[in-house]
PDB file of all heavy atoms in Angstrom:
ATOM      1  N   GLN A1034      34.225  39.564  23.482  1.00 91.00           N
ATOM      2  CA  GLN A1034      33.068  39.924  22.611  1.00 91.00           C
ATOM      3  C   GLN A1034      33.459  39.707  21.118  1.00 91.00           C
ATOM      4  O   GLN A1034      32.611  39.166  20.341  1.00 91.00           O
ATOM      5  CB  GLN A1034      32.597  41.363  22.828  1.00 91.00           C
ATOM      6  CG  GLN A1034      31.952  41.468  24.259  1.00 91.00           C
ATOM      7  CD  GLN A1034      31.583  42.935  24.485  1.00 91.00           C
ATOM      8  OE1 GLN A1034      32.098  43.854  23.811  1.00 91.00           O
ATOM      9  NE2 GLN A1034      30.825  43.147  25.581  1.00 91.00           N
ATOM     10  N   LYS A1035      34.656  40.171  20.779  1.00 91.00           N
ATOM     11  CA  LYS A1035      35.058  39.971  19.386  1.00 91.00           C
ATOM     12  C   LYS A1035      35.191  38.467  19.053  1.00 91.00           C
ATOM     13  O   LYS A1035      34.752  38.063  17.916  1.00 91.00           O
ATOM     14  CB  LYS A1035      36.428  40.683  19.175  1.00 91.00           C
ATOM     15  CG  LYS A1035      36.304  42.185  19.029  1.00 91.00           C
ATOM     16  CD  LYS A1035      37.683  42.821  18.687  1.00 91.00           C
ATOM     17  CE  LYS A1035      37.611  44.282  18.523  1.00 91.00           C
ATOM     18  NZ  LYS A1035      38.884  44.911  18.214  1.00 91.00           N
ATOM     19  N   GLU A1036      35.760  37.726  19.947  1.00 91.00           N
ATOM     20  CA  GLU A1036      35.924  36.292  19.704  1.00 91.00           C
ATOM     21  C   GLU A1036      34.516  35.605  19.588  1.00 91.00           C
ATOM     22  O   GLU A1036      34.352  34.726  18.679  1.00 91.00           O
ATOM     23  CB  GLU A1036      36.696  35.641  20.845  1.00 91.00           C
ATOM     24  CG  GLU A1036      38.145  36.027  20.831  1.00 91.00           C
ATOM     25  CD  GLU A1036      38.864  35.412  21.975  1.00 91.00           C
ATOM     26  OE1 GLU A1036      38.195  34.876  22.963  1.00 91.00           O
ATOM     27  OE2 GLU A1036      40.133  35.470  22.049  1.00 91.00           O
ATOM     28  N   THR A1037      33.586  36.019  20.449  1.00 91.00           N
ATOM     29  CA  THR A1037      32.253  35.448  20.358  1.00 91.00           C
ATOM     30  C   THR A1037      31.589  35.828  19.038  1.00 91.00           C
ATOM     31  O   THR A1037      30.927  35.001  18.339  1.00 91.00           O
ATOM     32  CB  THR A1037      31.425  35.978  21.503  1.00 91.00           C
ATOM     33  OG1 THR A1037      32.044  35.673  22.773  1.00 91.00           O
ATOM     34  CG2 THR A1037      30.029  35.334  21.483  1.00 91.00           C
ATOM     35  N   ALA A1038      31.776  37.141  18.662  1.00 90.00           N
ATOM     36  CA  ALA A1038      31.234  37.576  17.369  1.00 90.00           C
ATOM     37  C   ALA A1038      31.845  36.812  16.212  1.00 90.00           C
ATOM     38  O   ALA A1038      31.166  36.422  15.259  1.00 90.00           O
ATOM     39  CB  ALA A1038      31.393  39.071  17.258  1.00 90.00           C
ATOM     40  N   MET A1039      33.156  36.582  16.247  1.00 91.00           N
ATOM     41  CA  MET A1039      33.877  35.892  15.178  1.00 91.00           C
ATOM     42  C   MET A1039      33.367  34.486  15.136  1.00 91.00           C
ATOM     43  O   MET A1039      33.181  33.859  14.035  1.00 91.00           O
ATOM     44  CB  MET A1039      35.376  35.956  15.418  1.00 91.00           C
ATOM     45  CG  MET A1039      35.985  37.343  15.126  1.00 91.00           C
ATOM     46  SD  MET A1039      37.768  37.354  15.385  1.00 91.00           S
ATOM     47  CE  MET A1039      38.342  36.248  14.142  1.00 91.00           C
ATOM     48  N   ARG A1040      33.288  33.771  16.294  1.00 90.00           N
ATOM     49  CA  ARG A1040      32.736  32.404  16.307  1.00 90.00           C
ATOM     50  C   ARG A1040      31.331  32.310  15.705  1.00 90.00           C
ATOM     51  O   ARG A1040      31.013  31.399  14.935  1.00 90.00           O
ATOM     52  CB  ARG A1040      32.784  31.884  17.712  1.00 90.00           C
ATOM     53  CG  ARG A1040      34.100  31.434  18.200  1.00 90.00           C
ATOM     54  CD  ARG A1040      34.018  30.534  19.475  1.00 90.00           C
ATOM     55  NE  ARG A1040      33.538  31.243  20.583  1.00 90.00           N
ATOM     56  CZ  ARG A1040      34.204  31.943  21.503  1.00 90.00           C
ATOM     57  NH1 ARG A1040      35.532  31.986  21.347  1.00 90.00           N
ATOM     58  NH2 ARG A1040      33.636  32.562  22.500  1.00 90.00           N
ATOM     59  N   ALA A1041      30.503  33.269  16.120  1.00 90.00           N
ATOM     60  CA  ALA A1041      29.092  33.289  15.570  1.00 90.00           C
ATOM     61  C   ALA A1041      29.173  33.467  14.057  1.00 90.00           C
ATOM     62  O   ALA A1041      28.487  32.839  13.301  1.00 90.00           O
ATOM     63  CB  ALA A1041      28.289  34.425  16.269  1.00 90.00           C
ATOM     64  N   ALA A1042      30.036  34.416  13.599  1.00 90.00           N
ATOM     65  CA  ALA A1042      30.155  34.697  12.202  1.00 90.00           C
ATOM     66  C   ALA A1042      30.656  33.550  11.404  1.00 90.00           C
ATOM     67  O   ALA A1042      30.202  33.176  10.340  1.00 90.00           O
ATOM     68  CB  ALA A1042      31.036  35.962  11.951  1.00 90.00           C
ATOM     69  N   THR A1043      31.702  32.829  12.045  1.00 90.00           N
ATOM     70  CA  THR A1043      32.243  31.697  11.460  1.00 90.00           C
ATOM     71  C   THR A1043      31.246  30.507  11.300  1.00 90.00           C
ATOM     72  O   THR A1043      31.119  29.840  10.300  1.00 90.00           O
ATOM     73  CB  THR A1043      33.437  31.201  12.233  1.00 90.00           C
ATOM     74  OG1 THR A1043      34.458  32.236  12.318  1.00 90.00           O
ATOM     75  CG2 THR A1043      34.098  29.947  11.606  1.00 90.00           C
ATOM     76  N   LYS A1044      30.448  30.353  12.404  1.00 89.00           N
ATOM     77  CA  LYS A1044      29.448  29.310  12.429  1.00 89.00           C
ATOM     78  C   LYS A1044      28.387  29.600  11.348  1.00 89.00           C
ATOM     79  O   LYS A1044      27.923  28.727  10.646  1.00 89.00           O
ATOM     80  CB  LYS A1044      28.786  29.227  13.753  1.00 89.00           C
ATOM     81  CG  LYS A1044      27.798  28.105  13.916  1.00 89.00           C
ATOM     82  CD  LYS A1044      27.322  28.064  15.406  1.00 89.00           C
ATOM     83  CE  LYS A1044      26.344  26.887  15.517  1.00 89.00           C
ATOM     84  NZ  LYS A1044      25.810  26.836  16.947  1.00 89.00           N
ATOM     85  N   LYS A1045      27.996  30.890  11.306  1.00 90.00           N
ATOM     86  CA  LYS A1045      26.924  31.277  10.295  1.00 90.00           C
ATOM     87  C   LYS A1045      27.564  31.056   8.879  1.00 90.00           C
ATOM     88  O   LYS A1045      26.875  30.631   7.973  1.00 90.00           O
ATOM     89  CB  LYS A1045      26.576  32.745  10.465  1.00 90.00           C
ATOM     90  CG  LYS A1045      25.480  33.214   9.563  1.00 90.00           C
ATOM     91  CD  LYS A1045      25.085  34.640   9.914  1.00 90.00           C
ATOM     92  CE  LYS A1045      23.875  35.122   8.993  1.00 90.00           C
ATOM     93  NZ  LYS A1045      24.244  34.970   7.588  1.00 90.00           N
ATOM     94  N   HIS A1046      28.793  31.438   8.674  1.00 90.00           N
ATOM     95  CA  HIS A1046      29.481  31.266   7.383  1.00 90.00           C
ATOM     96  C   HIS A1046      29.444  29.773   7.013  1.00 90.00           C
ATOM     97  O   HIS A1046      29.292  29.379   5.884  1.00 90.00           O
ATOM     98  CB  HIS A1046      30.863  31.871   7.430  1.00 90.00           C
ATOM     99  CG  HIS A1046      31.612  31.810   6.102  1.00 90.00           C
ATOM    100  ND1 HIS A1046      31.172  32.477   4.999  1.00 90.00           N
ATOM    101  CD2 HIS A1046      32.684  31.160   5.712  1.00 90.00           C
ATOM    102  CE1 HIS A1046      31.911  32.182   3.986  1.00 90.00           C
ATOM    103  NE2 HIS A1046      32.917  31.431   4.368  1.00 90.00           N
ATOM    104  N   LYS A1047      29.840  28.961   7.963  1.00 89.00           N
ATOM    105  CA  LYS A1047      29.872  27.476   7.764  1.00 89.00           C
ATOM    106  C   LYS A1047      28.546  26.937   7.360  1.00 89.00           C
ATOM    107  O   LYS A1047      28.371  26.159   6.398  1.00 89.00           O
ATOM    108  CB  LYS A1047      30.401  26.741   8.948  1.00 89.00           C
ATOM    109  CG  LYS A1047      31.928  26.894   9.155  1.00 89.00           C
ATOM    110  CD  LYS A1047      32.381  26.008  10.398  1.00 89.00           C
ATOM    111  CE  LYS A1047      33.788  26.193  10.628  1.00 89.00           C
ATOM    112  NZ  LYS A1047      34.251  25.396  11.773  1.00 89.00           N
ATOM    113  N   ASN A1048      27.570  27.398   8.040  1.00 90.00           N
ATOM    114  CA  ASN A1048      26.123  26.983   7.795  1.00 90.00           C
ATOM    115  C   ASN A1048      25.702  27.428   6.431  1.00 90.00           C
ATOM    116  O   ASN A1048      25.087  26.704   5.682  1.00 90.00           O
ATOM    117  CB  ASN A1048      25.146  27.552   8.850  1.00 90.00           C
ATOM    118  CG  ASN A1048      25.354  26.852  10.201  1.00 90.00           C
ATOM    119  OD1 ASN A1048      25.895  25.771  10.313  1.00 90.00           O
ATOM    120  ND2 ASN A1048      25.055  27.591  11.248  1.00 90.00           N
ATOM    121  N   ASP A1049      26.132  28.736   6.039  1.00 90.00           N
ATOM    122  CA  ASP A1049      25.770  29.171   4.677  1.00 90.00           C
ATOM    123  C   ASP A1049      26.455  28.340   3.648  1.00 90.00           C
ATOM    124  O   ASP A1049      25.850  28.009   2.621  1.00 90.00           O
ATOM    125  CB  ASP A1049      26.212  30.620   4.587  1.00 90.00           C
ATOM    126  CG  ASP A1049      25.379  31.552   5.482  1.00 90.00           C
ATOM    127  OD1 ASP A1049      24.267  31.128   5.871  1.00 90.00           O
ATOM    128  OD2 ASP A1049      25.847  32.676   5.715  1.00 90.00           O
ATOM    129  N   ILE A1050      27.730  28.015   3.883  1.00 91.00           N
ATOM    130  CA  ILE A1050      28.459  27.213   2.951  1.00 91.00           C
ATOM    131  C   ILE A1050      27.856  25.795   2.791  1.00 91.00           C
ATOM    132  O   ILE A1050      27.673  25.267   1.688  1.00 91.00           O
ATOM    133  CB  ILE A1050      29.940  27.014   3.313  1.00 91.00           C
ATOM    134  CG1 ILE A1050      30.706  28.393   3.212  1.00 91.00           C
ATOM    135  CG2 ILE A1050      30.614  25.992   2.508  1.00 91.00           C
ATOM    136  CD1 ILE A1050      32.068  28.442   3.659  1.00 91.00           C
ATOM    137  N   LYS A1051      27.450  25.252   3.976  1.00 90.00           N
ATOM    138  CA  LYS A1051      26.783  23.944   3.940  1.00 90.00           C
ATOM    139  C   LYS A1051      25.453  24.018   3.164  1.00 90.00           C
ATOM    140  O   LYS A1051      25.182  23.096   2.370  1.00 90.00           O
ATOM    141  CB  LYS A1051      26.489  23.442   5.420  1.00 90.00           C
ATOM    142  CG  LYS A1051      27.770  22.930   6.048  1.00 90.00           C
ATOM    143  CD  LYS A1051      27.369  22.442   7.441  1.00 90.00           C
ATOM    144  CE  LYS A1051      28.597  21.942   8.227  1.00 90.00           C
ATOM    145  NZ  LYS A1051      28.214  21.419   9.587  1.00 90.00           N
ATOM    146  N   GLU A1052      24.679  25.009   3.354  1.00 91.00           N
ATOM    147  CA  GLU A1052      23.432  25.125   2.647  1.00 91.00           C
ATOM    148  C   GLU A1052      23.743  25.314   1.118  1.00 91.00           C
ATOM    149  O   GLU A1052      22.979  24.678   0.302  1.00 91.00           O
ATOM    150  CB  GLU A1052      22.673  26.411   3.084  1.00 91.00           C
ATOM    151  CG  GLU A1052      22.092  26.183   4.547  1.00 91.00           C
ATOM    152  CD  GLU A1052      21.417  27.348   5.068  1.00 91.00           C
ATOM    153  OE1 GLU A1052      21.383  28.399   4.321  1.00 91.00           O
ATOM    154  OE2 GLU A1052      20.867  27.348   6.202  1.00 91.00           O
ATOM    155  N   LYS A1053      24.682  26.114   0.770  1.00 91.00           N
ATOM    156  CA  LYS A1053      24.998  26.295  -0.656  1.00 91.00           C
ATOM    157  C   LYS A1053      25.477  24.969  -1.252  1.00 91.00           C
ATOM    158  O   LYS A1053      25.124  24.648  -2.378  1.00 91.00           O
ATOM    159  CB  LYS A1053      26.030  27.373  -0.802  1.00 91.00           C
ATOM    160  CG  LYS A1053      25.549  28.792  -0.470  1.00 91.00           C
ATOM    161  CD  LYS A1053      26.657  29.809  -0.724  1.00 91.00           C
ATOM    162  CE  LYS A1053      26.163  31.249  -0.348  1.00 91.00           C
ATOM    163  NZ  LYS A1053      27.250  32.246  -0.557  1.00 91.00           N
ATOM    164  N   LEU A1054      26.398  24.245  -0.485  1.00 91.00           N
ATOM    165  CA  LEU A1054      26.863  22.998  -1.022  1.00 91.00           C
ATOM    166  C   LEU A1054      25.700  22.001  -1.190  1.00 91.00           C
ATOM    167  O   LEU A1054      25.713  21.224  -2.195  1.00 91.00           O
ATOM    168  CB  LEU A1054      27.921  22.441  -0.091  1.00 91.00           C
ATOM    169  CG  LEU A1054      29.304  23.145  -0.066  1.00 91.00           C
ATOM    170  CD1 LEU A1054      30.220  22.548   1.008  1.00 91.00           C
ATOM    171  CD2 LEU A1054      29.960  23.042  -1.441  1.00 91.00           C
ATOM    172  N   ALA A1055      24.801  22.017  -0.232  1.00 91.00           N
ATOM    173  CA  ALA A1055      23.664  21.102  -0.320  1.00 91.00           C
ATOM    174  C   ALA A1055      22.829  21.444  -1.525  1.00 91.00           C
ATOM    175  O   ALA A1055      22.325  20.532  -2.260  1.00 91.00           O
ATOM    176  CB  ALA A1055      22.791  21.146   0.960  1.00 91.00           C
ATOM    177  N   LYS A1056      22.638  22.707  -1.769  1.00 91.00           N
ATOM    178  CA  LYS A1056      21.836  23.114  -2.980  1.00 91.00           C
ATOM    179  C   LYS A1056      22.532  22.753  -4.262  1.00 91.00           C
ATOM    180  O   LYS A1056      21.935  22.269  -5.172  1.00 91.00           O
ATOM    181  CB  LYS A1056      21.604  24.634  -2.948  1.00 91.00           C
ATOM    182  CG  LYS A1056      20.631  25.087  -1.824  1.00 91.00           C
ATOM    183  CD  LYS A1056      20.437  26.590  -1.865  1.00 91.00           C
ATOM    184  CE  LYS A1056      19.493  27.051  -0.790  1.00 91.00           C
ATOM    185  NZ  LYS A1056      19.293  28.526  -0.797  1.00 91.00           N
ATOM    186  N   VAL A1057      23.880  22.992  -4.298  1.00 91.00           N
ATOM    187  CA  VAL A1057      24.612  22.603  -5.475  1.00 91.00           C
ATOM    188  C   VAL A1057      24.558  21.127  -5.728  1.00 91.00           C
ATOM    189  O   VAL A1057      24.373  20.656  -6.890  1.00 91.00           O
ATOM    190  CB  VAL A1057      26.092  23.134  -5.357  1.00 91.00           C
ATOM    191  CG1 VAL A1057      26.944  22.539  -6.397  1.00 91.00           C
ATOM    192  CG2 VAL A1057      26.160  24.546  -5.340  1.00 91.00           C
ATOM    193  N   HIS A1058      24.749  20.321  -4.565  1.00 90.00           N
ATOM    194  CA  HIS A1058      24.699  18.847  -4.738  1.00 90.00           C
ATOM    195  C   HIS A1058      23.337  18.417  -5.237  1.00 90.00           C
ATOM    196  O   HIS A1058      23.175  17.511  -6.105  1.00 90.00           O
ATOM    197  CB  HIS A1058      25.001  18.290  -3.408  1.00 90.00           C
ATOM    198  CG  HIS A1058      24.942  16.784  -3.325  1.00 90.00           C
ATOM    199  ND1 HIS A1058      25.896  15.958  -3.994  1.00 90.00           N
ATOM    200  CD2 HIS A1058      24.094  15.873  -2.775  1.00 90.00           C
ATOM    201  CE1 HIS A1058      25.574  14.700  -3.788  1.00 90.00           C
ATOM    202  NE2 HIS A1058      24.501  14.642  -3.145  1.00 90.00           N
ATOM    203  N   LYS A1059      22.323  19.039  -4.695  1.00 91.00           N
ATOM    204  CA  LYS A1059      20.904  18.639  -5.102  1.00 91.00           C
ATOM    205  C   LYS A1059      20.725  18.933  -6.624  1.00 91.00           C
ATOM    206  O   LYS A1059      20.206  18.139  -7.367  1.00 91.00           O
ATOM    207  CB  LYS A1059      19.942  19.385  -4.238  1.00 91.00           C
ATOM    208  CG  LYS A1059      18.473  18.992  -4.483  1.00 91.00           C
ATOM    209  CD  LYS A1059      17.512  19.599  -3.573  1.00 91.00           C
ATOM    210  CE  LYS A1059      16.065  19.265  -3.798  1.00 91.00           C
ATOM    211  NZ  LYS A1059      15.185  19.980  -2.826  1.00 91.00           N
ATOM    212  N   SER A1060      21.185  20.164  -6.984  1.00 90.00           N
ATOM    213  CA  SER A1060      21.014  20.478  -8.373  1.00 90.00           C
ATOM    214  C   SER A1060      21.844  19.653  -9.352  1.00 90.00           C
ATOM    215  O   SER A1060      21.309  19.212 -10.369  1.00 90.00           O
ATOM    216  CB  SER A1060      21.383  21.981  -8.608  1.00 90.00           C
ATOM    217  OG  SER A1060      22.793  22.186  -8.330  1.00 90.00           O
ATOM    218  N   GLN A1061      23.080  19.287  -8.839  1.00 91.00           N
ATOM    219  CA  GLN A1061      23.901  18.384  -9.653  1.00 91.00           C
ATOM    220  C   GLN A1061      23.269  17.002  -9.756  1.00 91.00           C
ATOM    221  O   GLN A1061      23.268  16.353 -10.811  1.00 91.00           O
ATOM    222  CB  GLN A1061      25.281  18.337  -9.117  1.00 91.00           C
ATOM    223  CG  GLN A1061      26.141  19.552  -9.312  1.00 91.00           C
ATOM    224  CD  GLN A1061      27.487  19.463  -8.716  1.00 91.00           C
ATOM    225  OE1 GLN A1061      27.736  18.552  -7.961  1.00 91.00           O
ATOM    226  NE2 GLN A1061      28.394  20.425  -9.098  1.00 91.00           N
TER     227      GLN A1061
END
Side-chain angles (χ1 to χ4, degrees):
Q1034 289 175 349
K1035 284 184 178 180
E1036 289 177 351
T1037 303
M1039 287 179 66
R1040 282 196 295 269
T1043 302
K1044 186 176 181 180
K1045 185 176 182 302
H1046 183 63
K1047 286 182 178 179
N1048 292 334
D1049 292 341
I1050 291 175
K1051 285 182 180 179
E1052 290 178 359
K1053 289 180 180 179
L1054 289 175
K1056 290 180 180 179
V1057 170
H1058 179 70
K1059 186 177 180 180
S1060 63
Q1061 288 180 347

